[in-house]
Structure formats: C-alpha cells, structure tokens
Amino acid sequence: MKVGSGTILPKLFVTWPHQVTIGEKCSLEPNISFKYDGVWKKELSIRIGNNVFIGAGCEFNIRKGITVGDNSLIASGCKFIDHDHGILPNKLFRDQAGLEIPIEIGEDVWLGCNVVVLKGVEIGAGSIVAAGAVVTKSIPSYEIWAGIPAKKIGERK
C-alpha cells in the first residue's frame, strides 16, 4: 500500500494493500474497508488523492476501480460499489457476471454521511451529495444532489 507523507492512518481493513494508493496529508478515521472484490491482480484499483478526509466506517467495494480527487471530504458510513450481479431468472445471482464500471470522484467533492455511490458514477468537481443519498448516475460539477435515487436539488454559484 502506498501512503503519502503526512497521511494519518488508523486501523483499516484492506484485502490487497498493493492495489491501494493514498495521497499526502490525508486524514482517515477508523474502520474503513478497502476491499478489492475480485481475483488478485497487480494493478491499482483504489486511488485516493491528496488532502482527502474519509470518515469512520466507509467501504470501498471495488472490482474495476475508484479515484477520489484531491481535497474531497467523504463523511462516515459512505459506500462505493463499482459492480453488480446479473439478473437472469434461470441462474443463481452468485453465478452471474454483472457490470463492472469504475467510479470517479472529482476534486473538492463533499459527500454527506451514509452516501452510496454505485458503478459508473462520475461526481464532478465541487459537487455536494446530501447525507443518505444513493447516487446511480453521474453528477456535473458544482451541483447539489440528494435523495434515493439522488436528484439535483441545487447548484453552488
């Protein structure tokens, strides 16, 4: 696991440390899970920028990849899942391949407590996502979103 200078690391859960990089001057709270949910590979899957805050109990459940931009704030309990399961009726869910699409979090993004970000989502720079939202589609820069599923409720002007 590559960790930049000045970063504070508490007790974490990490399945494959070599797939995680965390930038400089980041602050992480306890019980964060960096889980690569797939077969071993040598490439990076979880990229956290510089000066990022990640609250207690966040879960990064990743197969393809996630990037978190510099200066972003991720409150406690957030979850990031970049994959799902197939839904054919004649096969067990566990036996079906689902879509795997990376997640991109821009710079200076603020995610409230317990936000869930699903596969393929891009959250633009300077955006805010309200506590408890479930983000199923991409959010342009400097917008404010809330709800289940998350919808635009405002803009940062």
Side-chain angles (χ1 to χ4, degrees):
M1 188 165 158
K2 181 180 175 188
V3 179
S5 67
T7 290
I8 300 166
L9 287 183
K11 183 177 179 182
L12 304 171
F13 173 79
V14 184
T15 55
W16 298 107
H18 71 284
Q19 292 181 336
V20 179
T21 183
I22 300 172
E24 296 180 357
K25 298 179 183 172
C26 293
S27 180
L28 284 70
E29 292 187 336
N31 302 316
I32 295 168
S33 174
F34 291 115
K35 177 184 174 192
Y36 176 72
D37 190 17
V39 179
W40 187 92
K41 69 175 188 174
K42 63 194 243 185
E43 298 86 24
L44 283 172
S45 296
I46 300 171
R47 296 169 184 85
I48 309 297
N50 297 317
N51 201 34
V52 171
F53 171 82
I54 303 175
C58 288
E59 177 185 327
F60 295 79
N61 188 335
I62 301 300
R63 282 191 189 166
K64 260 321 203 198
I66 183 169
T67 301
V68 177
D70 295 346
N71 302 303
S72 289
L73 303 173
I74 299 172
S76 298
C78 290
K79 297 191 182 333
F80 304 87
I81 303 122
D82 73 347
H83 56 281
D84 61 16
H85 297 279
I87 58 170
L88 295 173
N90 58 347
K91 286 181 86 174
L92 295 173
F93 289 119
R94 75 176 69 240
D95 295 335
Q96 297 184 53
L99 292 176
E100 298 175 3
I101 308 169
I103 295 170
E104 299 282 333
I105 309 295
E107 293 187 7
D108 192 31
V109 167
W110 174 21
L111 304 181
C113 290
N114 298 313
V115 167
V116 176
V117 180
L118 298 179
K119 69 185 180 308
V121 165
E122 294 180 21
I123 299 178
S127 292
I128 299 169
V129 180
V134 177
V135 185
T136 60
K137 57 185 171 183
S138 294
I139 297 174
S141 295
Y142 298 98
E143 290 191 355
I144 303 167
W145 285 47
I148 303 173
K151 293 182 169 68
K152 181 180 175 181
I153 62 167
E155 294 181 17
R156 291 181 65 203
K157 297 182 182 188

